[in-house]
Amino acid sequence: MAKRVGMEVAIAVAEAVGMCNVDVAAVYPITPQSHIAEHLSDIVADGRTDTEYVTVESEHSAISVVIGASGTGARTYTATSSQGLMLMHEILPIVSAMRLPICMAVANRAVSGPLNILNDHSDIMPQRDAGWIVMFTENGQEAIDLSIQSFKIAEDPEVMLPVAVNIDGFQLTHMVEPVEFPDQKAVSRFIPARKPYAMLHPDTPVTMGAFAMSDIYHEMMMVKDEVLKNSKKTILKVWDEWAKTFGRRYKPVETYRADDAEVLLVTMGSMGETAEVAIDELRKKKVSVGLVKIRLWRPFPFDEFRHVVRKAKLLIVTDRAVSFGGPGGPVHAEIKAALYHDKHRPAVHDYIIGLGGRDVRVSDFVTMVERAIKDRRKSAVKDYEFYGVRE
Amino acid sequence: MKKAKKWPEAWHEVNVGAMVFEPCSAREYHTGSWRARRPVWDNTRCIRCGLCYIYCPEGCVSQNALGYFEADLNYCKGCGICAHECWPTAIAMVEEA
């Protein structure tokens, strides 16, 4: 059993990445990701890992540097947040189309404007369709574990796709939590050196990222979709191996007291733990409620999700981002799409919560659940609402 | 005999990451099919200065044995830059039939 240590989560993520034999890292600091950038550069400067740390002038350059490095066969890492991720946006679909297994941490932060540095998911949601594997973490231990796993998933020959690990800014990145690090030898065994499919090398000429017109582009996009959907098999395999090696099991959709629940609260990211406390309180009041936590956002685990909600009558979805002028939040839209063909569709109520770092307390989750149940009794389920907005 | 494929025809035949392993294979892609107008040289006006050769962005203009210039119509996209630059006006852009 590894020793538990108290550590800030962003520092712990950098420590975890430092164990992964990364060849090239290019990380441009941005709040609240900066501690990952700073601490990883410390680890490199101290000679604790043989990594080329490229200091770049922007996030656009950071992702571009790791594209080039990944093309030469290197194991690569970057991390960003908010405006930095928005600046990377142009490059993200290229990474997945080129099948480069770049791993990235996103310290989720609200996007401007107005300028805000605190946590929500409005930075990752605009990247939803970039063709990346996208996962969410709930606590520091998960941030460590998923950061390590991401290299194994990304570099698997069946996958060869980039992975974004989402770690809620401040609410997770700046928390000091008890975490345990796996043994370095076990990590090295778990993620052996990358075996690239092809390498940019003068001896083996290859063109990566070539021009493609309408006669082939359409087919390429189908490949991208199929490969991303297919990656779920490898993700499950890697999580299974992780459970056997390190004892912690991960699932695409996690549940808490959900088996017999008529009402299910749905969260994604760090708020899951707060919601768990709310579920306990509501259970004490004899409310038949449970929690569903989405870990894997892309590829979306449709089957797993349908399975866990199959007996529910009401789903209370929480979204940390808004699809303006659309169906409320993106998680809500996804869930409704997942359930459209089901005969016994539950009612779905979407709450938009915690934008720009607005605190969401246990009592807020309790209120959300109680109010949604009341609305449903009156057949007044709203599509979505901004929870707690001042009126 | 199986028909030789010029392109991957089905989606599952596309190379991983659409990588191209054969050097210079872009040569097989005849961009001349995009052309709406083709350059036609009037060699009685041509002074063989080679500006068309220099300016052609496709690099498809070459000098023949007599020292005059011609475009490789497999690749000429018909942009008309050669005709625009040709100051003795020896090049006319003619509509493709």
Side-chain angles (χ1 to χ4, degrees):
Chain A
M1 189 71 173
K3 205 179 113 198
R4 279 197 156 197
V5 290
M7 194 180 280
E8 189 197 283
V9 172
I11 304 288
V13 167
E15 283 287 333
V17 171
M19 298 174 89
C20 293
N21 190 24
V22 172
D23 297 308
V24 178
V27 191
Y28 191 83
I30 179 171
T31 302
Q33 161 268 42
S34 303
H35 293 178
I36 300 178
E38 291 163 7
H39 193 69
L40 188 58
S41 81
D42 277 353
I43 294 171
V44 175
D46 291 347
R48 291 166 56 203
T49 175
D50 183 19
T51 302
E52 185 73 33
Y53 192 99
V54 186
T55 47
V56 283
E57 78 281 23
S58 77
E59 289 85 356
H60 193 282
S61 303
I63 189 75
S64 301
V65 161
V66 288
I67 281 190
S70 191
T72 67
R75 174 170 292 161
T76 54
Y77 185 77
T78 187
T80 190
S81 179
S82 184
Q83 303 308 110
L85 188 59
M86 300 299 259
L87 189 55
M88 284 185 181
H89 178 80
E90 184 208 353
I91 308 296
L92 299 181
I94 302 172
V95 183
S96 51
M98 290 171 71
R99 305 285 297 277
L100 297 173
I102 292 167
C103 290
M104 171 164 76
V106 180
N108 302 102
R109 157 185 153 183
V111 295
S112 305
L115 175 63
N116 178 300
I117 57 165
L118 301 176
N119 168 233
D120 70 27
H121 295 163
S122 57
D123 55 358
I124 189 65
M125 286 307 162
Q127 329 306 331
R128 185 190 62 182
D129 301 335
W132 283 51
I133 293 170
V134 183
M135 301 172 179
F136 280 81
T137 57
E138 211 181 309
N139 55 45
Q141 191 62 54
E142 292 188 6
I144 291 174
D145 291 358
L146 264 66
S147 297
I148 298 170
Q149 294 158 9
S150 64
F151 292 100
K152 193 177 180 73
I153 294 166
E155 294 170 6
D156 189 287
E158 294 291 312
V159 178
M160 292 193 275
L161 284 173
V163 179
V165 174
N166 288 267
I167 305 155
D168 280 327
F170 292 110
Q171 280 169 3
L172 261 187
T173 56
H174 286 54
M175 289 300 125
V176 175
E177 291 193 3
V179 291
E180 59 177 60
F181 286 93
D183 173 58
Q184 175 67 63
K185 274 187 198 149
V187 171
S188 303
R189 264 198 309 274
F190 191 75
I191 39 170
R194 178 182 167 201
K195 291 197 187 78
Y197 176 79
M199 285 187 275
L200 290 169
H201 190 278
D203 293 344
T204 53
V206 57
T207 301
M208 294 183 184
F211 180 75
M213 287 288 270
S214 50
D215 49 4
I216 190 77
Y217 186 91
H218 204 61
E219 279 69 25
M220 285 175 180
M221 293 306 104
M222 166 116 180
V223 174
K224 208 164 153 176
D225 187 41
E226 289 295 316
V227 168
L228 188 53
K229 282 195 282 186
N230 197 44
S231 71
K232 198 174 80 182
K233 282 184 216 152
T234 303
I235 295 167
L236 294 175
K237 201 177 75 190
V238 168
W239 281 345
D240 198 45
E241 196 181 327
W242 183 270
K244 281 176 191 147
T245 317
F246 301 104
R248 286 180 294 275
R249 182 163 289 283
Y250 289 90
K251 290 188 220 160
V253 179
E254 314 262 357
T255 55
Y256 180 73
R257 302 183 79 165
D259 287 347
D260 59 335
E262 281 184 21
V263 179
L264 288 175
L265 184 62
V266 183
T267 61
M268 196 159 77
S270 63
M271 285 206 177
E273 298 205 334
T274 314
E276 280 181 13
V277 182
I279 298 296
D280 288 342
E281 287 196 4
L282 286 157
R283 284 278 183 173
K284 272 186 217 149
K285 296 189 205 173
K286 307 282 180 222
V287 182
S288 175
V289 63
L291 180 64
V292 174
K293 299 179 284 189
I294 299 169
R295 172 178 314 290
L296 189 59
W297 172 239
R298 281 291 180 278
F300 192 83
F302 287 104
D303 295 337
E304 290 84 348
F305 187 82
R306 282 193 205 103
H307 180 76
V308 300
V309 304
R310 70 197 179 285
K311 286 186 246 161
K313 292 183 179 138
L314 174 64
L315 297 186
I316 302 165
V317 180
T318 57
D319 261 294
R320 313 279 323 273
V322 190
S323 175
F324 298 102
V331 180
H332 171 237
E334 203 74 14
I335 284 170
K336 280 204 171 157
L339 299 173
Y340 184 77
H341 290 295
D342 283 13
K343 269 191 200 137
H344 305 287
R345 288 197 295 262
V348 184
H349 186 116
D350 185 29
Y351 284 110
I352 292 176
I353 60 167
L355 299 184
R358 177 71 61 92
D359 203 16
V360 183
R361 297 157 299 180
V362 171
S363 58
D364 291 315
F365 281 112
V366 171
T367 308
M368 279 182 242
V369 170
E370 288 177 340
R371 206 201 295 164
I373 290 172
K374 215 195 293 168
D375 285 349
R376 183 166 164 270
R377 233 174 263 142
K378 292 189 291 189
S379 301
V381 173
K382 298 181 193 80
D383 260 353
Y384 71 95
E385 65 179 289
F386 283 68
Y387 174 80
V389 76
R390 281 192 299 276
E391 285 176 24
Chain B
M1 205 179 108
K2 230 174 133 186
K3 191 182 77 171
K5 279 179 182 169
K6 202 169 170 188
W7 295 101
E9 286 178 7
W11 66 269
H12 49 82
E13 294 171 341
V14 177
N15 275 356
V16 170
M19 288 178 209
V20 182
F21 291 96
E22 195 192 331
C24 302
S25 61
R27 203 178 274 167
E28 290 161 32
Y29 190 29
H30 288 172
T31 49
S33 64
W34 303 2
R35 192 176 56 245
R37 294 186 306 161
R38 67 167 66 195
V40 176
W41 273 260
D42 176 357
N43 288 346
T44 63
R45 301 176 79 105
C46 175
I47 60 163
R48 296 181 279 183
C49 67
L51 279 183
C52 52
Y53 163 80
I54 289 165
Y55 275 98
C56 174
E58 190 64 23
C60 74
V61 174
S62 58
Q63 201 171 17
N64 64 22
L66 298 172
Y68 293 105
F69 291 86
E70 52 200 22
D72 183 339
L73 294 178
N74 280 331
Y75 304 106
C76 170
K77 295 168 181 165
C79 68
I81 288 174
C82 54
H84 180 81
E85 296 296 339
C86 180
W87 59 271
T89 62
I91 305 173
M93 295 304 292
V94 178
E95 293 287 330
E96 288 288 347

